[in-house]
Amino acid sequence: MAESTNPDPGAKAPAFIPLEANPQLMTELIHKLGVGPSLAMHDVYSLTEPDLLAFIPRPALALLLVFPVSAAYESHRMAEDSITEAYTGKGEQEPVLWWKQTIRNACGMMGLLHAVCNGAARDFIEPDTTLDKLINESTPLDPVQRARLLEATPALASAHKEAASQGDTTAPDAQDDIDLHYVCFAKGSDGALWELDGRRTGPIRRGELGQDEDVLSERGLALGALKFLEREGGDLRFSAVALAGAMD
């Protein structure tokens, strides 16, 4: 069985400045790393009100949910991970590309990587960019080797530091303990909704999506982000950003 205790990187692990859930900064970051200008990150003001969801260009290629790492969430995570074998997948046949998080406070970057490197979003990555090279180098590697590759990619750390230092709020220190976490929901090459989180034992297939359904469709939300809201009850410290077409 997989290890179900604290999955966070230790105190001696490399650390990033926590990334603010700011769509403008995130858009600049993914463009700098290699995503073409036709995609952007967008604020999601509601996961339940159709009128507010209508502001987001469709299809939405990925959804990043920022949520508190509560006792209820950790109990749920440990229960699932304790009966799940640690992921060992690699190669071109994978429906999603997943990285284990071994860098402290890097969950924002991990979420963005999982968002832009999977499903239809991958088609918007420009050749010979940081992301293009990262996908090509990561694909044949196992999860342990992939994590080491992220740690040894200076362009990733440099771009992240620049973005994280420019938020609307004062950036925390890289060594601070942060109780908010990012998880990504994306549609894989198999047409399913996948939960992608570097704190888990691997990528999690949450269910089938129809050809015309995306991560913000009624079924996509029911299988993914709304599960978090149901579990946490009254905690309102949730925010969300979506990857979709640029409006400019």
Side-chain angles (χ1 to χ4, degrees):
M1 297 297 178
E3 181 61 51
S4 61
T5 54
N6 184 3
D8 295 324
K12 295 184 179 179
F16 281 2
I17 300 170
L19 186 66
E20 185 179 284
N22 178 316
Q24 181 178 345
L25 286 182
M26 288 180 161
T27 297
E28 292 173 2
L29 176 55
I30 63 174
H31 288 171
K32 183 168 187 175
L33 291 173
V35 174
S38 54
L39 288 187
M41 304 300 298
H42 303 268
D43 266 320
V44 180
Y45 294 109
S46 173
L47 295 172
T48 57
E49 297 182 36
D51 289 348
L52 293 177
L53 285 169
F55 285 106
I56 301 166
R58 307 295 282 273
L61 305 183
L63 176 67
L64 294 185
L65 186 68
V66 190
F67 64 95
V69 180
S70 65
Y73 172 74
E74 286 295 81
S75 176
H76 164 77
R77 177 190 64 77
M78 288 190 288
E80 277 197 327
D81 286 356
S82 67
I83 58 172
T84 306
E85 294 293 335
Y87 186 69
T88 58
K90 60 182 179 179
E92 297 283 351
Q93 76 282 0
E94 290 180 293
V96 288
L97 181 60
W98 176 81
W99 288 273
K100 181 74 174 173
Q101 182 180 338
T102 57
I103 302 170
R104 290 188 66 198
N105 293 331
C107 60
M109 173 62 84
M110 302 299 294
L112 287 176
L113 289 179
H114 287 136
V116 301
C117 295
N118 283 298
R122 189 182 289 193
D123 297 335
F124 294 86
I125 293 176
E126 298 177 338
D128 298 320
T129 58
T130 299
L131 289 174
D132 184 48
K133 294 173 184 176
L134 192 61
I135 290 171
N136 291 333
E137 292 176 16
S138 294
T139 298
L141 303 179
D142 64 34
V144 173
Q145 293 171 315
R146 286 178 182 175
R148 290 174 182 162
L149 176 63
L150 292 189
E151 292 181 13
T153 303
L156 204 62
S158 175
H160 182 280
K161 183 177 181 180
E162 181 180 346
S165 301
Q166 296 177 4
D168 291 335
T169 58
T170 302
D173 186 80
Q175 298 296 335
D176 286 352
D177 290 327
I178 306 299
D179 71 343
L180 293 176
H181 184 62
Y182 285 76
V183 63
C184 174
F185 295 97
K187 193 173 185 178
S189 61
D190 59 350
L193 181 76
W194 287 82
E195 180 179 327
L196 303 164
D197 180 353
R199 291 183 83 239
R200 303 302 298 265
T201 56
I204 305 170
R205 194 178 194 273
R206 289 303 187 191
E208 300 288 342
L209 292 179
Q211 188 172 356
D212 60 344
E213 292 178 316
D214 64 7
V215 296
L216 292 181
S217 66
E218 184 176 353
R219 180 165 174 78
L221 288 169
L223 290 171
L226 291 181
K227 295 288 188 185
F228 282 78
L229 298 182
E230 292 168 8
R231 204 161 45 235
E232 297 301 320
D235 196 325
L236 300 178
R237 292 181 300 154
F238 283 81
S239 59
V241 289
L243 176 68
M247 292 183 175
D248 296 335

